[in-house]
Amino acid sequence: MIAPRERRIALPHLTLAALEWGDASAPALVALHGWLDNGGSFAALAPLLASSYRVIALDLPGHGHSDHLPAGVSYHYHDHVRAVLAALDALELPRCALLGHSLGAGIASLAAAAAPARIERLHLIEGLGPLGDDGSHTLQRYRDALAAPPANGKALRVFRSIEQAASARAIASGLAAELARPIIQRGLCEAGSGWQWRSDPRLVRPTAVRLAETQIHALLAGIEAPTALLLAQPAAPYLPAATMQARAACVPRIEVAQMAGGHHLQLEHPQAVAQWALRHLASAPHAAPAL
């Protein structure tokens, strides 16, 4: 297994961490992880792509080894999009491919819609656009978000060992602890005689406002990059088939594939996901050989 290089990427308002695989002169593929994950989410997949691509897996703000936002500031999709585009500036990447999983797929979608000239290829695993709002829970969600106490200074659970933390993560996510280990190890920090999650506690606060599906459709229609979407079977409850089909229909150039497995396909089936990604990357200006 190819070991990644650690990176720090200074943005105007915070510093992001990243893991990097492959030759620095190779075409860039920037990878964006899911909610409460980190760049370790791509530890099994990235080495399979690194012979042809420079894979840069960011830790999103508040995740992994990246900085947390200042006190009193909340996390929103749009701010993640701004952070990703700022990271591309700092990395001196005027144009690149994006690979996103779950939350990262939603962010990648919006980044491609916001700056189409910068994204040459879009690869999405278990996500297309952000979580939407059909109006049925808008008022209650808004009230819950504004009534929630501040998370700053909240005492975090201390785990006796990495194994205990891995077990808790496996129960919460449904992903086997041995598969999630790259995420878990990168997501922990020592706390006295135990371990705590590095992620910002504010990431679990309710979101006050979500975009309506009609707004999401309008944004997805602005994606110009050739797009490949990979969905797990059976479908996750928060990614219903009808919703994903309606969203995919908005994207001008998209290919949708399905793969048996859970939400973290890139950790469960890295070889198959790499083959899927390379098939679509091969039609980009810098073609890559099949595995």
Side-chain angles (χ1 to χ4, degrees):
M1 188 69 70
I2 302 172
R5 302 182 294 276
E6 287 277 355
R7 290 206 56 154
R8 299 290 290 174
I9 304 168
L11 307 186
H13 59 299
L14 81 168
T15 298
L16 299 182
L19 297 172
E20 183 174 329
W21 293 261
D23 193 300
S25 63
L29 175 64
V30 176
L32 309 176
H33 61 77
W35 180 60
L36 297 182
D37 289 347
N38 52 60
S41 181
F42 300 100
L45 177 62
L48 302 177
L49 307 176
S51 61
S52 300
Y53 293 92
R54 175 192 178 195
V55 183
I56 306 167
L58 300 180
D59 288 344
L60 293 169
H63 295 77
H65 290 237
S66 288
D67 288 349
H68 296 185
L69 295 182
V73 179
S74 299
Y75 290 87
H76 299 286
Y77 254 103
H78 311 295
D79 297 310
H80 282 315
V81 173
R82 286 193 183 94
V84 169
L85 294 176
L88 299 188
D89 290 338
L91 292 165
E92 299 182 340
L93 296 175
R95 188 168 168 81
C96 70
L98 288 182
L99 167 65
H101 169 249
S102 195
L103 168 70
I107 295 167
S109 304
L110 295 183
R118 305 199 63 174
I119 310 304
E120 66 181 15
R121 220 76 180 166
L122 198 56
H123 288 73
L124 309 175
I125 303 170
E126 285 282 273
L128 175 62
L131 291 175
D133 190 350
D134 64 2
S136 61
H137 298 95
T138 301
L139 177 59
Q140 192 59 52
R141 184 183 299 113
Y142 190 74
R143 287 174 173 170
D144 290 345
L146 296 185
N152 298 334
K154 178 182 177 182
L156 298 176
R157 179 180 177 182
V158 177
F159 299 95
R160 296 187 305 274
S161 64
I162 293 177
E163 288 69 27
Q164 186 189 28
S167 177
R169 168 69 194 233
I171 293 171
S173 68
L175 180 65
E178 62 271 17
L179 295 179
R181 186 161 290 274
I183 297 174
I184 293 165
Q185 290 179 329
R186 188 167 182 80
L188 290 171
C189 61
E190 290 190 67
S193 59
W195 301 83
Q196 289 179 331
W197 297 118
R198 290 179 180 271
S199 55
D200 193 331
R202 287 172 292 175
L203 290 167
V204 302
R205 286 173 57 87
T207 300
V209 177
R210 293 181 182 176
L211 292 174
E213 278 296 313
T214 53
Q215 293 175 299
I216 294 172
H217 288 185
L219 291 169
L220 296 179
I223 296 175
E224 299 179 9
T227 301
L229 171 61
L230 182 61
L231 296 173
Q233 286 295 315
Y238 41 86
L239 298 173
T243 298
M244 299 310 291
Q245 289 171 2
R247 291 187 180 191
C250 299
V251 181
R253 293 189 289 169
I254 188 169
E255 293 185 22
V256 182
Q258 296 178 338
M259 184 179 295
H263 186 54
H264 288 76
L265 290 170
Q266 76 278 14
L267 286 167
E268 292 184 14
H269 307 296
Q271 191 81 17
V273 173
Q275 291 174 342
W276 163 80
L278 287 173
R279 275 198 306 273
H280 293 279
L281 283 166
S283 59
H286 301 282
L291 288 178

